[in-house]
Amino acid sequence: MCRRRRSNSARWKYDAYHDSIITAGNGGTKPVRAAFTIFYNQGTQSYDLEQTLQPDEQMWIDVGQLIREHVPDKNGKTLPADLTTGSYEFRDLTNTGVGALFEGKVVYDKSYGHVAYGCAACCGWSIPVGFWYDPLGIPVDNETDQGVFAADQCNSGDLEDVSDSFYNNWSTGNTSIATVDSYGTHSGVSVGSTRSFTHGLLNNNNPIRYCPLTGFEPSGGDCVIQLMLQGNQYNSLFVGSDPNLAAANSIFATVSPSGGTFTTTSSASGDTFTPVTTGGPGWVVGTTTQSANLRDRTITVTYAVSGQGSVSQSLSVTARQFAYATNNTPSNTCTLGYGTAYLYAYTPYTHPDGTAVQAGIGLTNTAVTESFNPQPPAGTVTGSGSLDANSQFYDKLVYCSSSPLSSYPTVTQTISIEGYQVRQNSLTYSSAGVGLTSNGPTQ
Amino acid sequence: MTQTENYLKLAVLLLALLLTVTWVGGVGAQQTGSGLGQGAKFLEAKIPEFEIHNQVLLDGLWKLARGPAPFGFGFEKVLKGSLSDPDVPDPLLSLQLKDKSVREVLDALCQADSRYTWSVDGTTVDLFPRAVINDASYLLNRQLARFELRNATDVQNGLLAIVRQLPPPVEQIAQAQVGGDDRYPPEPWTVTFENLTVRQVVNRLAAHGGRCTAWIFGGARDFRAFGFFNTFVCSPPPPLPSWAPKRVEPPPKSP
């Protein structure tokens, strides 16, 4: 029997003269989940079985029986009836670094009763055994995962995760700067530097010595860095290119220590980041695409300090597009004798949230444009407006004179913010003045 | 320096000041001297780049007035004979100017549409047809020896006061506009002006709605109408959004 973590070189045979019986047992003290895989067709295809083994329990695999009886694997797949040879692998799914499985194999010659015993090569772990990140950047008041890798002798020495063999042994040098839990998850307490330590056992790759357990004590630096992001209080961006959107679309960073470099990304391709002109570090996020769902846009800022690692923070925001507007019902203020004068106050709403644009969000002066078809009557002045500090806009509709008025055809008024149509009105001019009928949209 | 020389210099200075203050009613880049705030320093502000392509004069004026050196303005369209007449066509202008002052851009605009000239009244620029300069009967050239406004809360209060306080003949006046905002501050406004043209009074009525307000006058001789547009372009933007972190600058390092 070979105590082993896994095998990638064991062979089996099955034909009219040979059969292979493969077994694996749980040599540990706790139940393990064992995975058995048969590779065939030059390793391009696999057949997978899984079974939970109690301590001292064994599983027996008769490869010939699997082929003959078309036994389906866990995915419903069966082995080809003409299959004669291949390789196999056991894996301990419960324990990564130190395996509890032992396995054995008998290939016997059915003609002459000859039996060959074998087991797979033992391939364990070797140095380098170290931390995923050294130094590890940890945000203040936030968490970052740390783990351990080791060279995998089953896989050309590639570095692979063996963190579970180092659980429950973690510590940091200064808990007023950083703490760590049993699983290597670090928490930043205050800005500063310290070190982390852990220890664990891994099988090494010495088959002569039955893959003995070897102790490792990796350690590495921790740098707790402050990175706080602050966007507008409604977690939103506005779609468009008007420079007056800059305030509402600004995101500011507060960092310590200073002097690092920033990297900014958005989950939406095409979003842009322009440094703010005052109050930085910060960026004006430009976007031309609306969110599909609330807060589905992730803005991520990574802050790297030379020699101290990097930390990242994200903001989940909604990219809002102007969609429709509601208006008040003003009274007639014409005092010249004939006609009407109304000052409409419009409140814009956005998609996808369907909420009114909040006062004070920083959209002052954002352009509101209007177009008319046909043009209003001669003498009427048309003009565009803009959003005020309350994120509303006003629209004067006046046809008021000291002399009697004439009648004109109805005019269609189209109002847009940032190029997005938010309202269409019918303006009816008559000798009594001008009236407004909304054609929506209303949602 | 003798006392006589001092008196002589003082006299020259006073004379120059008197000449400046009494220069009224000219055209081009001349101030009326009737005063709206701080005078016309903005006219010398440099505009790094000013471009219009196939746009009318009023488009160019809007663009200039909302540019890096914002200002309020009054624009008087060429009036039609009657409302039923076809519209007066406006020439399409194309200009590409770099590093010119506001004054130079205004000159260039009025050169491109030579029907117009301009003047400045305090911080308000007036563009009006050259053809009306010497027309004393033209509404906006008419003189008001005294103009009184009491408890005005709407620009129409001022327009009505003009009609009522002008000597005969009775003038037709209207406000006709779609779009924009012409609100007055909520506090009632009482004011008296003396010896102003209707144009200068309208400048002041507009300016009460806010700095950099624009007014436009148009229509026909039988139906003349104003529109008023308050803008925020002269209001200084808040330096930072309210959610921007308050940065504490480190103390300067001692040498």
Side-chain angles (χ1 to χ4, degrees), chain B residues 3-32:
Chain B
Q3 198 171 27
T4 310
E5 285 172 330
N6 279 340
Y7 284 142
L8 190 61
K9 284 193 171 180
L10 185 63
V12 169
L13 196 64
L14 285 171
L15 182 63
L17 190 64
L18 190 66
L19 283 172
T20 304
V21 169
T22 52
W23 182 283
V24 177
V27 294
Q30 297 151 357
Q31 296 182 41
T32 64

PDB file of all heavy atoms in Angstrom, chain B residues 3-32:
ATOM      1  N   GLN B   3       2.594 123.808  -6.517  1.00  0.00           N
ATOM      2  CA  GLN B   3       1.157 123.685  -6.262  1.00  0.00           C
ATOM      3  C   GLN B   3       0.356 123.949  -7.537  1.00  0.00           C
ATOM      4  O   GLN B   3      -0.667 123.309  -7.790  1.00  0.00           O
ATOM      5  CB  GLN B   3       0.777 124.677  -5.169  1.00  0.00           C
ATOM      6  CG  GLN B   3      -0.543 124.345  -4.543  1.00  0.00           C
ATOM      7  CD  GLN B   3      -0.813 125.189  -3.322  1.00  0.00           C
ATOM      8  OE1 GLN B   3      -0.317 126.317  -3.208  1.00  0.00           O
ATOM      9  NE2 GLN B   3      -1.586 124.663  -2.399  1.00  0.00           N
ATOM     10  N   THR B   4       0.869 124.891  -8.377  1.00  0.00           N
ATOM     11  CA  THR B   4       0.182 125.198  -9.647  1.00  0.00           C
ATOM     12  C   THR B   4       0.127 123.955 -10.538  1.00  0.00           C
ATOM     13  O   THR B   4      -0.896 123.629 -11.141  1.00  0.00           O
ATOM     14  CB  THR B   4       0.920 126.334 -10.393  1.00  0.00           C
ATOM     15  OG1 THR B   4       1.124 127.390  -9.477  1.00  0.00           O
ATOM     16  CG2 THR B   4       0.137 126.786 -11.601  1.00  0.00           C
ATOM     17  N   GLU B   5       1.307 123.270 -10.596  1.00  0.00           N
ATOM     18  CA  GLU B   5       1.344 122.050 -11.420  1.00  0.00           C
ATOM     19  C   GLU B   5       0.359 121.010 -10.880  1.00  0.00           C
ATOM     20  O   GLU B   5      -0.302 120.311 -11.653  1.00  0.00           O
ATOM     21  CB  GLU B   5       2.764 121.476 -11.425  1.00  0.00           C
ATOM     22  CG  GLU B   5       3.712 122.266 -12.307  1.00  0.00           C
ATOM     23  CD  GLU B   5       5.149 121.785 -12.126  1.00  0.00           C
ATOM     24  OE1 GLU B   5       5.474 121.316 -11.010  1.00  0.00           O
ATOM     25  OE2 GLU B   5       5.915 121.875 -13.087  1.00  0.00           O
ATOM     26  N   ASN B   6       0.279 120.908  -9.576  1.00  0.00           N
ATOM     27  CA  ASN B   6      -0.671 119.955  -8.976  1.00  0.00           C
ATOM     28  C   ASN B   6      -2.104 120.285  -9.356  1.00  0.00           C
ATOM     29  O   ASN B   6      -2.889 119.409  -9.731  1.00  0.00           O
ATOM     30  CB  ASN B   6      -0.541 119.964  -7.453  1.00  0.00           C
ATOM     31  CG  ASN B   6       0.632 119.120  -6.993  1.00  0.00           C
ATOM     32  OD1 ASN B   6       1.090 118.258  -7.741  1.00  0.00           O
ATOM     33  ND2 ASN B   6       1.121 119.389  -5.803  1.00  0.00           N
ATOM     34  N   TYR B   7      -2.449 121.556  -9.264  1.00  0.00           N
ATOM     35  CA  TYR B   7      -3.803 121.973  -9.633  1.00  0.00           C
ATOM     36  C   TYR B   7      -4.081 121.668 -11.098  1.00  0.00           C
ATOM     37  O   TYR B   7      -5.172 121.236 -11.476  1.00  0.00           O
ATOM     38  CB  TYR B   7      -3.993 123.477  -9.381  1.00  0.00           C
ATOM     39  CG  TYR B   7      -4.184 123.821  -7.917  1.00  0.00           C
ATOM     40  CD1 TYR B   7      -3.616 124.988  -7.383  1.00  0.00           C
ATOM     41  CD2 TYR B   7      -4.916 123.003  -7.086  1.00  0.00           C
ATOM     42  CE1 TYR B   7      -3.772 125.294  -6.038  1.00  0.00           C
ATOM     43  CE2 TYR B   7      -5.081 123.289  -5.756  1.00  0.00           C
ATOM     44  CZ  TYR B   7      -4.499 124.450  -5.210  1.00  0.00           C
ATOM     45  OH  TYR B   7      -4.660 124.739  -3.882  1.00  0.00           O
ATOM     46  N   LEU B   8      -3.045 121.936 -11.945  1.00  0.00           N
ATOM     47  CA  LEU B   8      -3.211 121.699 -13.387  1.00  0.00           C
ATOM     48  C   LEU B   8      -3.482 120.212 -13.658  1.00  0.00           C
ATOM     49  O   LEU B   8      -4.386 119.839 -14.415  1.00  0.00           O
ATOM     50  CB  LEU B   8      -1.933 122.145 -14.115  1.00  0.00           C
ATOM     51  CG  LEU B   8      -2.029 122.196 -15.637  1.00  0.00           C
ATOM     52  CD1 LEU B   8      -3.102 123.199 -16.078  1.00  0.00           C
ATOM     53  CD2 LEU B   8      -0.689 122.557 -16.252  1.00  0.00           C
ATOM     54  N   LYS B   9      -2.715 119.354 -13.004  1.00  0.00           N
ATOM     55  CA  LYS B   9      -2.911 117.916 -13.198  1.00  0.00           C
ATOM     56  C   LYS B   9      -4.291 117.479 -12.717  1.00  0.00           C
ATOM     57  O   LYS B   9      -4.963 116.670 -13.348  1.00  0.00           O
ATOM     58  CB  LYS B   9      -1.834 117.128 -12.437  1.00  0.00           C
ATOM     59  CG  LYS B   9      -0.501 117.164 -13.152  1.00  0.00           C
ATOM     60  CD  LYS B   9       0.450 116.152 -12.578  1.00  0.00           C
ATOM     61  CE  LYS B   9       1.687 116.072 -13.456  1.00  0.00           C
ATOM     62  NZ  LYS B   9       2.642 115.110 -12.949  1.00  0.00           N
ATOM     63  N   LEU B  10      -4.703 118.027 -11.594  1.00  0.00           N
ATOM     64  CA  LEU B  10      -6.020 117.686 -11.053  1.00  0.00           C
ATOM     65  C   LEU B  10      -7.123 118.113 -12.010  1.00  0.00           C
ATOM     66  O   LEU B  10      -8.097 117.383 -12.257  1.00  0.00           O
ATOM     67  CB  LEU B  10      -6.190 118.363  -9.681  1.00  0.00           C
ATOM     68  CG  LEU B  10      -7.473 118.007  -8.934  1.00  0.00           C
ATOM     69  CD1 LEU B  10      -7.527 116.522  -8.606  1.00  0.00           C
ATOM     70  CD2 LEU B  10      -7.594 118.834  -7.649  1.00  0.00           C
ATOM     71  N   ALA B  11      -6.945 119.304 -12.612  1.00  0.00           N
ATOM     72  CA  ALA B  11      -7.952 119.809 -13.554  1.00  0.00           C
ATOM     73  C   ALA B  11      -8.056 118.905 -14.778  1.00  0.00           C
ATOM     74  O   ALA B  11      -9.147 118.590 -15.261  1.00  0.00           O
ATOM     75  CB  ALA B  11      -7.592 121.234 -13.977  1.00  0.00           C
ATOM     76  N   VAL B  12      -6.874 118.489 -15.289  1.00  0.00           N
ATOM     77  CA  VAL B  12      -6.867 117.594 -16.465  1.00  0.00           C
ATOM     78  C   VAL B  12      -7.573 116.279 -16.121  1.00  0.00           C
ATOM     79  O   VAL B  12      -8.380 115.760 -16.894  1.00  0.00           O
ATOM     80  CB  VAL B  12      -5.411 117.333 -16.925  1.00  0.00           C
ATOM     81  CG1 VAL B  12      -5.364 116.207 -17.952  1.00  0.00           C
ATOM     82  CG2 VAL B  12      -4.808 118.598 -17.487  1.00  0.00           C
ATOM     83  N   LEU B  13      -7.300 115.782 -14.929  1.00  0.00           N
ATOM     84  CA  LEU B  13      -7.919 114.525 -14.497  1.00  0.00           C
ATOM     85  C   LEU B  13      -9.436 114.656 -14.389  1.00  0.00           C
ATOM     86  O   LEU B  13     -10.193 113.790 -14.862  1.00  0.00           O
ATOM     87  CB  LEU B  13      -7.326 114.137 -13.134  1.00  0.00           C
ATOM     88  CG  LEU B  13      -7.542 112.696 -12.692  1.00  0.00           C
ATOM     89  CD1 LEU B  13      -6.828 111.734 -13.630  1.00  0.00           C
ATOM     90  CD2 LEU B  13      -7.044 112.507 -11.264  1.00  0.00           C
ATOM     91  N   LEU B  14      -9.872 115.742 -13.788  1.00  0.00           N
ATOM     92  CA  LEU B  14     -11.313 115.960 -13.636  1.00  0.00           C
ATOM     93  C   LEU B  14     -12.000 116.093 -14.988  1.00  0.00           C
ATOM     94  O   LEU B  14     -13.091 115.581 -15.209  1.00  0.00           O
ATOM     95  CB  LEU B  14     -11.579 117.210 -12.796  1.00  0.00           C
ATOM     96  CG  LEU B  14     -11.326 117.043 -11.293  1.00  0.00           C
ATOM     97  CD1 LEU B  14     -11.414 118.400 -10.584  1.00  0.00           C
ATOM     98  CD2 LEU B  14     -12.342 116.085 -10.697  1.00  0.00           C
ATOM     99  N   LEU B  15     -11.321 116.791 -15.916  1.00  0.00           N
ATOM    100  CA  LEU B  15     -11.890 116.984 -17.260  1.00  0.00           C
ATOM    101  C   LEU B  15     -12.048 115.633 -17.965  1.00  0.00           C
ATOM    102  O   LEU B  15     -13.080 115.337 -18.578  1.00  0.00           O
ATOM    103  CB  LEU B  15     -10.976 117.912 -18.075  1.00  0.00           C
ATOM    104  CG  LEU B  15     -11.469 118.248 -19.479  1.00  0.00           C
ATOM    105  CD1 LEU B  15     -12.790 119.028 -19.408  1.00  0.00           C
ATOM    106  CD2 LEU B  15     -10.431 119.048 -20.254  1.00  0.00           C
ATOM    107  N   ALA B  16     -10.988 114.815 -17.848  1.00  0.00           N
ATOM    108  CA  ALA B  16     -11.045 113.484 -18.480  1.00  0.00           C
ATOM    109  C   ALA B  16     -12.182 112.660 -17.891  1.00  0.00           C
ATOM    110  O   ALA B  16     -12.923 111.980 -18.604  1.00  0.00           O
ATOM    111  CB  ALA B  16      -9.715 112.757 -18.277  1.00  0.00           C
ATOM    112  N   LEU B  17     -12.343 112.745 -16.578  1.00  0.00           N
ATOM    113  CA  LEU B  17     -13.411 112.003 -15.906  1.00  0.00           C
ATOM    114  C   LEU B  17     -14.781 112.479 -16.363  1.00  0.00           C
ATOM    115  O   LEU B  17     -15.681 111.685 -16.657  1.00  0.00           O
ATOM    116  CB  LEU B  17     -13.245 112.190 -14.389  1.00  0.00           C
ATOM    117  CG  LEU B  17     -14.110 111.304 -13.506  1.00  0.00           C
ATOM    118  CD1 LEU B  17     -13.748 109.840 -13.686  1.00  0.00           C
ATOM    119  CD2 LEU B  17     -13.951 111.697 -12.043  1.00  0.00           C
ATOM    120  N   LEU B  18     -14.918 113.793 -16.490  1.00  0.00           N
ATOM    121  CA  LEU B  18     -16.192 114.384 -16.905  1.00  0.00           C
ATOM    122  C   LEU B  18     -16.556 113.939 -18.317  1.00  0.00           C
ATOM    123  O   LEU B  18     -17.689 113.569 -18.619  1.00  0.00           O
ATOM    124  CB  LEU B  18     -16.077 115.915 -16.838  1.00  0.00           C
ATOM    125  CG  LEU B  18     -17.372 116.687 -17.016  1.00  0.00           C
ATOM    126  CD1 LEU B  18     -18.316 116.411 -15.847  1.00  0.00           C
ATOM    127  CD2 LEU B  18     -17.098 118.186 -17.101  1.00  0.00           C
ATOM    128  N   LEU B  19     -15.531 113.931 -19.197  1.00  0.00           N
ATOM    129  CA  LEU B  19     -15.769 113.511 -20.587  1.00  0.00           C
ATOM    130  C   LEU B  19     -16.221 112.049 -20.634  1.00  0.00           C
ATOM    131  O   LEU B  19     -17.108 111.683 -21.391  1.00  0.00           O
ATOM    132  CB  LEU B  19     -14.488 113.683 -21.409  1.00  0.00           C
ATOM    133  CG  LEU B  19     -14.168 115.124 -21.809  1.00  0.00           C
ATOM    134  CD1 LEU B  19     -12.785 115.190 -22.451  1.00  0.00           C
ATOM    135  CD2 LEU B  19     -15.217 115.670 -22.780  1.00  0.00           C
ATOM    136  N   THR B  20     -15.615 111.232 -19.816  1.00  0.00           N
ATOM    137  CA  THR B  20     -15.974 109.808 -19.801  1.00  0.00           C
ATOM    138  C   THR B  20     -17.409 109.609 -19.347  1.00  0.00           C
ATOM    139  O   THR B  20     -18.184 108.875 -19.958  1.00  0.00           O
ATOM    140  CB  THR B  20     -15.028 109.038 -18.852  1.00  0.00           C
ATOM    141  OG1 THR B  20     -13.707 109.271 -19.266  1.00  0.00           O
ATOM    142  CG2 THR B  20     -15.337 107.549 -18.874  1.00  0.00           C
ATOM    143  N   VAL B  21     -17.782 110.296 -18.257  1.00  0.00           N
ATOM    144  CA  VAL B  21     -19.103 110.103 -17.682  1.00  0.00           C
ATOM    145  C   VAL B  21     -20.199 110.627 -18.603  1.00  0.00           C
ATOM    146  O   VAL B  21     -21.294 110.066 -18.676  1.00  0.00           O
ATOM    147  CB  VAL B  21     -19.167 110.789 -16.298  1.00  0.00           C
ATOM    148  CG1 VAL B  21     -20.600 110.851 -15.786  1.00  0.00           C
ATOM    149  CG2 VAL B  21     -18.296 110.052 -15.305  1.00  0.00           C
ATOM    150  N   THR B  22     -19.923 111.708 -19.349  1.00  0.00           N
ATOM    151  CA  THR B  22     -20.976 112.320 -20.157  1.00  0.00           C
ATOM    152  C   THR B  22     -21.082 111.711 -21.547  1.00  0.00           C
ATOM    153  O   THR B  22     -21.890 112.134 -22.355  1.00  0.00           O
ATOM    154  CB  THR B  22     -20.741 113.832 -20.305  1.00  0.00           C
ATOM    155  OG1 THR B  22     -19.417 114.036 -20.761  1.00  0.00           O
ATOM    156  CG2 THR B  22     -20.952 114.527 -18.979  1.00  0.00           C
ATOM    157  N   TRP B  23     -20.273 110.705 -21.873  1.00  0.00           N
ATOM    158  CA  TRP B  23     -20.348 110.048 -23.185  1.00  0.00           C
ATOM    159  C   TRP B  23     -21.533 109.093 -23.169  1.00  0.00           C
ATOM    160  O   TRP B  23     -21.503 108.064 -22.538  1.00  0.00           O
ATOM    161  CB  TRP B  23     -19.053 109.289 -23.449  1.00  0.00           C
ATOM    162  CG  TRP B  23     -19.034 108.623 -24.785  1.00  0.00           C
ATOM    163  CD1 TRP B  23     -19.658 107.484 -25.153  1.00  0.00           C
ATOM    164  CD2 TRP B  23     -18.341 109.084 -25.937  1.00  0.00           C
ATOM    165  NE1 TRP B  23     -19.420 107.203 -26.449  1.00  0.00           N
ATOM    166  CE2 TRP B  23     -18.613 108.162 -26.970  1.00  0.00           C
ATOM    167  CE3 TRP B  23     -17.538 110.192 -26.218  1.00  0.00           C
ATOM    168  CZ2 TRP B  23     -18.087 108.315 -28.256  1.00  0.00           C
ATOM    169  CZ3 TRP B  23     -17.006 110.321 -27.487  1.00  0.00           C
ATOM    170  CH2 TRP B  23     -17.300 109.397 -28.497  1.00  0.00           C
ATOM    171  N   VAL B  24     -22.595 109.473 -23.830  1.00  0.00           N
ATOM    172  CA  VAL B  24     -23.828 108.692 -23.765  1.00  0.00           C
ATOM    173  C   VAL B  24     -24.348 108.432 -25.174  1.00  0.00           C
ATOM    174  O   VAL B  24     -24.246 109.279 -26.046  1.00  0.00           O
ATOM    175  CB  VAL B  24     -24.914 109.445 -22.954  1.00  0.00           C
ATOM    176  CG1 VAL B  24     -26.230 108.664 -22.948  1.00  0.00           C
ATOM    177  CG2 VAL B  24     -24.447 109.677 -21.539  1.00  0.00           C
ATOM    178  N   GLY B  25     -24.889 107.247 -25.364  1.00  0.00           N
ATOM    179  CA  GLY B  25     -25.655 107.004 -26.580  1.00  0.00           C
ATOM    180  C   GLY B  25     -24.849 106.627 -27.788  1.00  0.00           C
ATOM    181  O   GLY B  25     -25.398 106.471 -28.868  1.00  0.00           O
ATOM    182  N   GLY B  26     -23.545 106.434 -27.663  1.00  0.00           N
ATOM    183  CA  GLY B  26     -22.756 106.062 -28.818  1.00  0.00           C
ATOM    184  C   GLY B  26     -22.968 104.611 -29.186  1.00  0.00           C
ATOM    185  O   GLY B  26     -23.690 103.884 -28.529  1.00  0.00           O
ATOM    186  N   VAL B  27     -22.342 104.177 -30.261  1.00  0.00           N
ATOM    187  CA  VAL B  27     -22.436 102.789 -30.673  1.00  0.00           C
ATOM    188  C   VAL B  27     -21.046 102.191 -30.685  1.00  0.00           C
ATOM    189  O   VAL B  27     -20.059 102.868 -30.434  1.00  0.00           O
ATOM    190  CB  VAL B  27     -23.082 102.666 -32.063  1.00  0.00           C
ATOM    191  CG1 VAL B  27     -24.527 103.113 -32.005  1.00  0.00           C
ATOM    192  CG2 VAL B  27     -22.289 103.430 -33.103  1.00  0.00           C
ATOM    193  N   GLY B  28     -20.984 100.901 -31.046  1.00  0.00           N
ATOM    194  CA  GLY B  28     -19.715 100.199 -31.004  1.00  0.00           C
ATOM    195  C   GLY B  28     -19.374  99.906 -29.562  1.00  0.00           C
ATOM    196  O   GLY B  28     -20.241  99.736 -28.728  1.00  0.00           O
ATOM    197  N   ALA B  29     -18.101  99.828 -29.273  1.00  0.00           N
ATOM    198  CA  ALA B  29     -17.666  99.410 -27.942  1.00  0.00           C
ATOM    199  C   ALA B  29     -17.639 100.580 -26.976  1.00  0.00           C
ATOM    200  O   ALA B  29     -16.658 100.829 -26.317  1.00  0.00           O
ATOM    201  CB  ALA B  29     -16.295  98.771 -28.049  1.00  0.00           C
ATOM    202  N   GLN B  30     -18.721 101.319 -26.908  1.00  0.00           N
ATOM    203  CA  GLN B  30     -18.745 102.475 -26.024  1.00  0.00           C
ATOM    204  C   GLN B  30     -19.694 102.217 -24.870  1.00  0.00           C
ATOM    205  O   GLN B  30     -20.780 101.705 -25.052  1.00  0.00           O
ATOM    206  CB  GLN B  30     -19.204 103.712 -26.816  1.00  0.00           C
ATOM    207  CG  GLN B  30     -18.240 104.056 -27.931  1.00  0.00           C
ATOM    208  CD  GLN B  30     -18.930 104.718 -29.087  1.00  0.00           C
ATOM    209  OE1 GLN B  30     -20.142 104.885 -29.104  1.00  0.00           O
ATOM    210  NE2 GLN B  30     -18.142 105.100 -30.074  1.00  0.00           N
ATOM    211  N   GLN B  31     -19.256 102.616 -23.684  1.00  0.00           N
ATOM    212  CA  GLN B  31     -20.119 102.429 -22.534  1.00  0.00           C
ATOM    213  C   GLN B  31     -21.090 103.591 -22.430  1.00  0.00           C
ATOM    214  O   GLN B  31     -20.751 104.728 -22.719  1.00  0.00           O
ATOM    215  CB  GLN B  31     -19.279 102.353 -21.273  1.00  0.00           C
ATOM    216  CG  GLN B  31     -18.371 101.136 -21.272  1.00  0.00           C
ATOM    217  CD  GLN B  31     -17.594 101.056 -19.996  1.00  0.00           C
ATOM    218  OE1 GLN B  31     -18.138 101.305 -18.935  1.00  0.00           O
ATOM    219  NE2 GLN B  31     -16.331 100.716 -20.102  1.00  0.00           N
ATOM    220  N   THR B  32     -22.295 103.287 -21.992  1.00  0.00           N
ATOM    221  CA  THR B  32     -23.263 104.366 -21.834  1.00  0.00           C
ATOM    222  C   THR B  32     -22.987 105.176 -20.584  1.00  0.00           C
ATOM    223  O   THR B  32     -23.424 106.291 -20.465  1.00  0.00           O
ATOM    224  CB  THR B  32     -24.682 103.786 -21.714  1.00  0.00           C
ATOM    225  OG1 THR B  32     -24.749 103.006 -20.528  1.00  0.00           O
ATOM    226  CG2 THR B  32     -25.035 102.948 -22.912  1.00  0.00           C
TER     227      THR B  32
END
